[in-house]
Amino acid sequence: MKILFFCHSSRASSPLPGFIVFFLTCYVHKMESAQFSVTGPGHPVTAIVGEAIVLPCHLSPRMSAENMEVRWFRSKFTSVVHLFQHGKDQYGQQMPEYRGRTELLKTGITDGNVSLQIVNIRSSDEGQYNCFVQDGPFDEEAILELKVAGLGSNPLISVESQQDGGIRMVCQSAGWYPEPKVLWRDLSGQELPSLSEAKSLGDSGLFETENSIIIKERSNQNLSCWIRNTVLNQEKESMVYIADSFFPRVNPWMVALSVILLVLFGFIGLTVYLFKIKGKHLGEIRKRDTKIRKHLGEIRKRDTKINDLQRELDWRRNIVCPGLGSSAPPVQEANVTLDPDTAHPYLVLSEGGKSVRCGDTRQRLPDTPERFDTVFWVLGCEGFTAGRHCWEVEVGGGRYWAVGVARESVGRKGGISRSPEGGIWAVDWWWGQFRALTSPATPLTLSRAPSRIWVCLDCDRGQVTFIDAGAEAPIFTFPPGSVPGERIRPWLWVGPGSRLRLRP
């Protein structure tokens, strides 16, 4: 980011003192907006449930952050974990779950250390954190990953019941995060197969586990239950020995009863088999009926496809120009390309002019009257004065971007209003909020930004409509007569990290 400083001096009786004042004023302004980068750890930070953790973050090169804004937030800019502004902590915007649990460590703030301490760690604290620092118009941020781990209670082994000629043992433990690994082992450390395993998330957000095994007499009477936290690489283990008296004894009468039941079930199976042979002919009749229903279903599918195509044609006609019906003039799908002569020097266009992104450095391009020099805008090569025209734009990435149309005479130099008064008719994505760029901006009730947007321009009615191409649903329409009767061109605003592409 480049910042321009304009300094002027009032009249002075002598040229030399006036020059000195002019030089010092410009130098101080430049020093006040020094550029920096924000750096965090290059690896995830691990915290223990119930304990405290420090999320490291500092400025490079080292400089004081006492008069800067330091904002720690989660997925959205407004999801504030901790805010330091105007030289003190601000708690009005802080999320309720972090109140009383955060502290910006100010002992090193004069050296650019803006690390954050969080106490009484919870499992819900796990995830991504943004360390955002702003000094005047300049800002930078770093992204950190916090992993949370909890070491649960010692395993509790209990005898549940006799089952399958052995006894059923259960191992229970609670207070683990993330989901732990549970194993049964014999005296030599060999892993034993489990009978069942159940894990659940308790009210505190920590895992409870219950694992069972069946032990046969003189097989693995010495065994241990072993539970491991894979993040901390720590485990807890409990051992038990099962005496012979706990194992069930075989009863001869039970053996005889088992044989009788086996014969009885065999007789029942033979009877069922005979009934199946008898019903074979009925099955063949049902198969023929199924084939007939299948053919009827294919006919209905073809009819449905025809109806869907007709509905799509009606939708395109009515959504772009409602109320005109079949009498409306045809919509021209415009093959739009981007005009490199209008692109801001920070914008990088693809070969063929179908996509654009915001680069890291300013390109050396001629500062012509057609080129935008302050805002990251670009116009389409094509211009329209009559008829109905539509084109599709793929959008995504970054914290802000916008798509729409502009007058060909829209201003190219200095600050320009993103509204119809400034010659812009568009919708934008601004820090998690989708808006129509009216004056003032109109918030749109969409849970997320569309990935593909149709821009539909009706020059004859002076109207612009925006459509969610994926959901085939209208987004916003500027009323008829909003767009003046002059040459109108496609318009894009590309923020850092965003990429916009015109579909052919």
Side-chain angles (χ1 to χ4, degrees):
M1 176 182 295
K2 291 192 174 181
I3 304 173
L4 301 179
F5 299 87
F6 298 92
C7 304
H8 65 276
S9 60
S10 60
R11 291 183 182 176
S13 58
S14 174
L16 181 59
F19 176 77
I20 295 174
V21 172
F22 174 82
F23 176 78
L24 290 176
T25 303
C26 293
Y27 179 77
V28 169
H29 276 294
K30 287 188 177 181
M31 290 298 293
E32 288 177 350
S33 299
Q35 297 188 8
F36 54 84
S37 63
V38 179
T39 306
H43 55 81
V45 179
T46 302
I48 307 297
V49 172
E51 298 184 5
I53 189 65
V54 173
L55 301 180
C57 185
H58 66 273
L59 306 185
S60 180
R62 294 185 177 183
M63 61 181 67
S64 175
E66 286 180 302
N67 297 320
M68 300 182 185
E69 175 183 327
V70 180
R71 180 185 294 257
W72 284 87
F73 64 94
R74 295 297 299 266
S75 57
K76 294 183 179 179
F77 190 76
T78 54
S79 303
V80 177
V81 177
H82 192 94
L83 177 61
F84 177 82
Q85 197 176 46
H86 308 305
K88 60 182 180 179
D89 298 311
Q90 308 287 342
Y91 297 102
Q93 302 178 39
Q94 189 177 38
M95 291 189 290
E97 58 266 33
Y98 288 96
R99 288 176 185 168
R101 299 175 52 225
T102 62
E103 179 187 1
L104 189 72
L105 302 181
K106 303 182 185 66
T107 54
I109 197 170
T110 55
D111 292 329
N113 188 349
V114 290
S115 300
L116 180 71
Q117 177 176 265
I118 305 177
V119 300
N120 191 20
I121 288 294
R122 307 169 183 172
S123 59
S124 58
D125 295 336
E126 186 171 72
Q128 179 177 298
Y129 288 76
N130 296 63
C131 176
F132 174 89
V133 182
Q134 183 173 12
D135 181 19
F138 184 81
D139 64 81
E140 283 291 338
E141 67 180 62
I143 299 176
L144 295 77
E145 184 74 19
L146 176 64
K147 289 186 176 295
V148 175
L151 199 60
S153 61
N154 289 324
L156 175 64
I157 303 176
S158 59
V159 178
E160 287 289 308
S161 61
Q162 294 181 349
Q163 183 176 337
D164 298 334
I167 59 173
R168 184 172 179 267
M169 308 291 297
V170 175
C171 176
Q172 296 173 311
S173 183
W176 295 86
Y177 192 87
E179 185 176 317
K181 182 179 181 181
V182 183
L183 293 177
W184 291 95
R185 289 177 172 173
D186 60 16
L187 189 60
S188 63
Q190 185 70 29
E191 182 179 343
L192 302 175
S194 300
L195 174 65
S196 65
E197 182 176 12
K199 295 175 183 175
S200 60
L201 203 59
D203 296 337
S204 61
L206 303 179
F207 282 94
E208 302 172 358
T209 181
E210 181 178 296
N211 196 296
S212 64
I213 190 174
I214 294 180
I215 301 300
K216 301 294 181 67
E217 186 177 7
R218 290 181 297 277
S219 60
N220 294 295
Q221 294 179 230
N222 287 284
L223 76 158
S224 63
C225 179
W226 177 89
I227 305 180
R228 182 179 184 83
N229 186 302
T230 55
V231 175
L232 299 175
N233 288 326
Q234 298 182 32
E235 65 274 346
K236 292 191 175 183
E237 185 178 17
S238 294
M239 301 183 66
V240 69
Y241 172 76
I242 309 300
D244 293 343
S245 57
F246 280 90
F247 291 95
R249 304 302 174 188
V250 178
N251 191 322
W253 289 104
M254 294 297 296
V255 175
L257 179 60
S258 300
V259 174
I260 293 171
L261 290 175
L262 182 62
V263 173
L264 179 61
F265 284 129
F267 177 75
I268 294 173
L270 179 61
T271 304
V272 171
Y273 174 72
L274 293 176
F275 272 105
K276 284 184 177 180
I277 294 177
K278 183 178 179 180
K280 183 177 180 181
H281 297 293
L282 291 175
E284 292 177 353
I285 295 174
R286 293 191 188 97
K287 286 182 180 179
R288 286 196 295 269
D289 292 341
T290 301
K291 288 182 179 180
I292 294 172
R293 286 195 294 271
K294 183 178 180 181
H295 289 306
L296 290 174
E298 291 175 353
I299 294 172
R300 293 191 188 99
K301 285 182 180 179
R302 286 195 292 269
D303 293 340
T304 301
K305 287 183 179 178
I306 295 172
N307 293 333
D308 288 344
L309 290 173
Q310 183 63 46
R311 281 197 299 270
E312 182 176 353
L313 290 174
D314 294 340
W315 173 83
R316 285 177 178 265
R317 182 184 299 117
N318 292 327
I319 201 68
V320 175
C321 194
L324 296 184
S326 59
S327 63
V331 178
Q332 301 293 328
E333 293 192 10
N335 184 16
V336 176
T337 56
L338 300 175
D339 185 357
D341 293 335
T342 65
H344 186 278
Y346 264 95
L347 299 185
V348 180
L349 275 62
S350 67
E351 186 177 353
K354 281 296 184 180
S355 67
V356 59
R357 62 179 177 85
C358 185
D360 299 326
T361 58
R362 186 183 182 95
Q363 303 174 84
R364 294 185 178 179
L365 298 173
D367 186 15
T368 60
E370 293 82 11
R371 189 178 307 281
F372 294 106
D373 69 342
T374 304
V375 286
F376 296 169
W377 294 358
V378 61
L379 295 177
C381 293
E382 294 72 22
F384 309 103
T385 57
R388 300 165 64 204
H389 311 273
C390 286
W391 59 93
E392 185 177 335
V393 185
E394 284 187 358
V395 296
R399 292 175 288 196
Y400 53 84
W401 47 259
V403 299
V405 298
R407 295 183 308 207
E408 188 168 56
S409 61
V410 67
R412 312 298 171 91
K413 310 298 181 183
I416 308 166
S417 173
R418 296 189 302 274
S419 66
E421 287 76 6
I424 302 295
W425 295 264
V427 294
D428 77 349
W429 177 256
W430 178 258
W431 294 90
Q433 174 68 56
F434 200 50
R435 311 179 303 177
L437 295 183
T438 55
S439 182
T442 302
L444 302 177
T445 56
L446 276 73
S447 59
R448 61 180 181 81
S451 60
R452 295 185 295 122
I453 298 176
W454 272 91
V455 183
C456 300
L457 171 65
D458 190 332
C459 297
D460 301 330
R461 302 186 75 198
Q463 176 178 301
V464 183
T465 299
F466 299 91
I467 303 166
D468 184 343
E472 295 186 352
I475 297 173
F476 185 81
T477 299
F478 285 88
S482 300
V483 183
E486 65 174 87
R487 189 176 180 85
I488 302 298
R489 297 172 68 177
W491 171 88
L492 298 178
W493 177 30
V494 187
S498 59
R499 185 183 184 94
L500 281 68
R501 185 169 75 92
L502 297 164
R503 291 176 63 87

